[in-house]
Amino acid sequence: MSHIKIYAEQYTITQFRDKLSEAIHDALVSCLNLPEDKRFQRFITLSRENFIYPNDRSSHYTIIEISMFEGRSEVHKKQLIKTIFHNIQQQCGISPQDIEITIFETPRSHWGIRGKVADELQLNYTVHLE
């Protein structure tokens, strides 16, 4: 399970929403073996005056926050980050210099899904990847 928040200026999200969605989801599927049909994304648009970032970033500066169950290896998490950078650059033309990614991991017992605590759910994919 993963939930993704994508923050960027309004026009960046308007221009690239579908491609960003695909780039991120493709990375999650290929690097973490998430099922194709498990897509949970929220695009949060920010006005220029409410999005302050360093001068060495362009107006396409994008922040991606990934909340997911703990259990993936460091190798898999690094691969995920690198693949997201690559996919976004290839599919959107946004430089990795303009992308920041943070992964937040929590135990399954800290998630409530479909009326259950997530550690009581039967999943159709593996969380612990070595």
PDB file of all heavy atoms in Angstrom, residues 65-79:
ATOM      1  N   GLU A  65       5.716  13.046  -1.929  1.00  0.00           N
ATOM      2  CA  GLU A  65       5.751  12.360  -0.641  1.00  0.00           C
ATOM      3  C   GLU A  65       5.065  11.012  -0.785  1.00  0.00           C
ATOM      4  O   GLU A  65       3.932  10.939  -1.260  1.00  0.00           O
ATOM      5  CB  GLU A  65       5.039  13.187   0.435  1.00  0.00           C
ATOM      6  CG  GLU A  65       5.732  14.489   0.751  1.00  0.00           C
ATOM      7  CD  GLU A  65       5.018  15.301   1.817  1.00  0.00           C
ATOM      8  OE1 GLU A  65       3.876  14.940   2.212  1.00  0.00           O
ATOM      9  OE2 GLU A  65       5.599  16.302   2.259  1.00  0.00           O
ATOM     10  N   ILE A  66       5.761   9.965  -0.384  1.00  0.00           N
ATOM     11  CA  ILE A  66       5.251   8.608  -0.494  1.00  0.00           C
ATOM     12  C   ILE A  66       5.067   8.042   0.905  1.00  0.00           C
ATOM     13  O   ILE A  66       6.037   7.908   1.661  1.00  0.00           O
ATOM     14  CB  ILE A  66       6.231   7.715  -1.291  1.00  0.00           C
ATOM     15  CG1 ILE A  66       6.486   8.316  -2.674  1.00  0.00           C
ATOM     16  CG2 ILE A  66       5.712   6.280  -1.376  1.00  0.00           C
ATOM     17  CD1 ILE A  66       7.614   7.659  -3.436  1.00  0.00           C
ATOM     18  N   SER A  67       3.838   7.739   1.271  1.00  0.00           N
ATOM     19  CA  SER A  67       3.545   7.049   2.533  1.00  0.00           C
ATOM     20  C   SER A  67       3.283   5.594   2.199  1.00  0.00           C
ATOM     21  O   SER A  67       2.461   5.295   1.316  1.00  0.00           O
ATOM     22  CB  SER A  67       2.306   7.646   3.204  1.00  0.00           C
ATOM     23  OG  SER A  67       2.528   8.984   3.548  1.00  0.00           O
ATOM     24  N   MET A  68       3.977   4.694   2.888  1.00  0.00           N
ATOM     25  CA  MET A  68       3.798   3.280   2.570  1.00  0.00           C
ATOM     26  C   MET A  68       4.073   2.412   3.792  1.00  0.00           C
ATOM     27  O   MET A  68       4.664   2.862   4.772  1.00  0.00           O
ATOM     28  CB  MET A  68       4.685   2.870   1.401  1.00  0.00           C
ATOM     29  CG  MET A  68       6.160   2.959   1.631  1.00  0.00           C
ATOM     30  SD  MET A  68       7.043   2.560   0.099  1.00  0.00           S
ATOM     31  CE  MET A  68       8.705   2.498   0.696  1.00  0.00           C
ATOM     32  N   PHE A  69       3.621   1.166   3.692  1.00  0.00           N
ATOM     33  CA  PHE A  69       3.915   0.197   4.739  1.00  0.00           C
ATOM     34  C   PHE A  69       5.426   0.019   4.848  1.00  0.00           C
ATOM     35  O   PHE A  69       6.127   0.007   3.835  1.00  0.00           O
ATOM     36  CB  PHE A  69       3.330  -1.178   4.407  1.00  0.00           C
ATOM     37  CG  PHE A  69       1.842  -1.251   4.308  1.00  0.00           C
ATOM     38  CD1 PHE A  69       1.254  -2.252   3.559  1.00  0.00           C
ATOM     39  CD2 PHE A  69       1.014  -0.361   4.964  1.00  0.00           C
ATOM     40  CE1 PHE A  69      -0.121  -2.370   3.463  1.00  0.00           C
ATOM     41  CE2 PHE A  69      -0.365  -0.460   4.877  1.00  0.00           C
ATOM     42  CZ  PHE A  69      -0.931  -1.467   4.121  1.00  0.00           C
ATOM     43  N   GLU A  70       5.921  -0.145   6.067  1.00  0.00           N
ATOM     44  CA  GLU A  70       7.331  -0.450   6.230  1.00  0.00           C
ATOM     45  C   GLU A  70       7.595  -1.889   5.776  1.00  0.00           C
ATOM     46  O   GLU A  70       6.684  -2.706   5.715  1.00  0.00           O
ATOM     47  CB  GLU A  70       7.758  -0.262   7.688  1.00  0.00           C
ATOM     48  CG  GLU A  70       7.122  -1.232   8.649  1.00  0.00           C
ATOM     49  CD  GLU A  70       7.526  -0.974  10.095  1.00  0.00           C
ATOM     50  OE1 GLU A  70       8.330  -0.076  10.359  1.00  0.00           O
ATOM     51  OE2 GLU A  70       7.020  -1.710  10.958  1.00  0.00           O
ATOM     52  N   GLY A  71       8.860  -2.154   5.435  1.00  0.00           N
ATOM     53  CA  GLY A  71       9.223  -3.518   5.105  1.00  0.00           C
ATOM     54  C   GLY A  71      10.049  -3.671   3.842  1.00  0.00           C
ATOM     55  O   GLY A  71      10.594  -4.733   3.601  1.00  0.00           O
ATOM     56  N   ARG A  72      10.154  -2.607   3.048  1.00  0.00           N
ATOM     57  CA  ARG A  72      10.965  -2.712   1.837  1.00  0.00           C
ATOM     58  C   ARG A  72      12.427  -2.489   2.194  1.00  0.00           C
ATOM     59  O   ARG A  72      12.754  -1.721   3.085  1.00  0.00           O
ATOM     60  CB  ARG A  72      10.544  -1.673   0.793  1.00  0.00           C
ATOM     61  CG  ARG A  72       9.349  -2.056  -0.059  1.00  0.00           C
ATOM     62  CD  ARG A  72       8.085  -1.999   0.692  1.00  0.00           C
ATOM     63  NE  ARG A  72       6.926  -2.254  -0.174  1.00  0.00           N
ATOM     64  CZ  ARG A  72       5.746  -1.744   0.094  1.00  0.00           C
ATOM     65  NH1 ARG A  72       5.560  -0.968   1.142  1.00  0.00           N
ATOM     66  NH2 ARG A  72       4.732  -2.037  -0.679  1.00  0.00           N
ATOM     67  N   SER A  73      13.309  -3.134   1.466  1.00  0.00           N
ATOM     68  CA  SER A  73      14.740  -2.984   1.716  1.00  0.00           C
ATOM     69  C   SER A  73      15.218  -1.607   1.250  1.00  0.00           C
ATOM     70  O   SER A  73      14.565  -0.943   0.436  1.00  0.00           O
ATOM     71  CB  SER A  73      15.521  -4.072   0.973  1.00  0.00           C
ATOM     72  OG  SER A  73      15.477  -3.829  -0.421  1.00  0.00           O
ATOM     73  N   GLU A  74      16.384  -1.211   1.763  1.00  0.00           N
ATOM     74  CA  GLU A  74      16.989   0.052   1.330  1.00  0.00           C
ATOM     75  C   GLU A  74      17.254   0.020  -0.170  1.00  0.00           C
ATOM     76  O   GLU A  74      17.091   1.026  -0.860  1.00  0.00           O
ATOM     77  CB  GLU A  74      18.292   0.311   2.098  1.00  0.00           C
ATOM     78  CG  GLU A  74      18.084   0.588   3.572  1.00  0.00           C
ATOM     79  CD  GLU A  74      17.231   1.823   3.823  1.00  0.00           C
ATOM     80  OE1 GLU A  74      17.486   2.885   3.217  1.00  0.00           O
ATOM     81  OE2 GLU A  74      16.293   1.734   4.643  1.00  0.00           O
ATOM     82  N   VAL A  75      17.660  -1.121  -0.679  1.00  0.00           N
ATOM     83  CA  VAL A  75      17.920  -1.268  -2.116  1.00  0.00           C
ATOM     84  C   VAL A  75      16.663  -0.954  -2.914  1.00  0.00           C
ATOM     85  O   VAL A  75      16.703  -0.206  -3.900  1.00  0.00           O
ATOM     86  CB  VAL A  75      18.446  -2.690  -2.437  1.00  0.00           C
ATOM     87  CG1 VAL A  75      18.471  -2.944  -3.930  1.00  0.00           C
ATOM     88  CG2 VAL A  75      19.813  -2.902  -1.817  1.00  0.00           C
ATOM     89  N   HIS A  76      15.521  -1.491  -2.498  1.00  0.00           N
ATOM     90  CA  HIS A  76      14.269  -1.256  -3.216  1.00  0.00           C
ATOM     91  C   HIS A  76      13.821   0.202  -3.122  1.00  0.00           C
ATOM     92  O   HIS A  76      13.325   0.770  -4.096  1.00  0.00           O
ATOM     93  CB  HIS A  76      13.168  -2.186  -2.705  1.00  0.00           C
ATOM     94  CG  HIS A  76      13.311  -3.575  -3.199  1.00  0.00           C
ATOM     95  ND1 HIS A  76      13.956  -4.553  -2.475  1.00  0.00           N
ATOM     96  CD2 HIS A  76      12.918  -4.161  -4.355  1.00  0.00           C
ATOM     97  CE1 HIS A  76      13.948  -5.675  -3.165  1.00  0.00           C
ATOM     98  NE2 HIS A  76      13.332  -5.472  -4.316  1.00  0.00           N
ATOM     99  N   LYS A  77      14.010   0.817  -1.970  1.00  0.00           N
ATOM    100  CA  LYS A  77      13.620   2.224  -1.818  1.00  0.00           C
ATOM    101  C   LYS A  77      14.512   3.137  -2.664  1.00  0.00           C
ATOM    102  O   LYS A  77      14.012   4.063  -3.313  1.00  0.00           O
ATOM    103  CB  LYS A  77      13.649   2.627  -0.344  1.00  0.00           C
ATOM    104  CG  LYS A  77      12.508   1.977   0.451  1.00  0.00           C
ATOM    105  CD  LYS A  77      12.520   2.362   1.907  1.00  0.00           C
ATOM    106  CE  LYS A  77      13.518   1.509   2.652  1.00  0.00           C
ATOM    107  NZ  LYS A  77      13.413   1.621   4.115  1.00  0.00           N
ATOM    108  N   LYS A  78      15.806   2.862  -2.696  1.00  0.00           N
ATOM    109  CA  LYS A  78      16.701   3.658  -3.538  1.00  0.00           C
ATOM    110  C   LYS A  78      16.367   3.467  -5.015  1.00  0.00           C
ATOM    111  O   LYS A  78      16.387   4.425  -5.801  1.00  0.00           O
ATOM    112  CB  LYS A  78      18.163   3.285  -3.273  1.00  0.00           C
ATOM    113  CG  LYS A  78      18.678   3.810  -1.954  1.00  0.00           C
ATOM    114  CD  LYS A  78      20.126   3.424  -1.745  1.00  0.00           C
ATOM    115  CE  LYS A  78      20.647   3.988  -0.441  1.00  0.00           C
ATOM    116  NZ  LYS A  78      22.085   3.720  -0.263  1.00  0.00           N
ATOM    117  N   GLN A  79      16.079   2.231  -5.387  1.00  0.00           N
ATOM    118  CA  GLN A  79      15.696   1.950  -6.770  1.00  0.00           C
ATOM    119  C   GLN A  79      14.414   2.704  -7.125  1.00  0.00           C
ATOM    120  O   GLN A  79      14.304   3.271  -8.211  1.00  0.00           O
ATOM    121  CB  GLN A  79      15.504   0.449  -6.967  1.00  0.00           C
ATOM    122  CG  GLN A  79      15.092   0.078  -8.378  1.00  0.00           C
ATOM    123  CD  GLN A  79      14.765  -1.405  -8.506  1.00  0.00           C
ATOM    124  OE1 GLN A  79      14.478  -2.085  -7.530  1.00  0.00           O
ATOM    125  NE2 GLN A  79      14.793  -1.889  -9.725  1.00  0.00           N
TER     126      GLN A  79
END
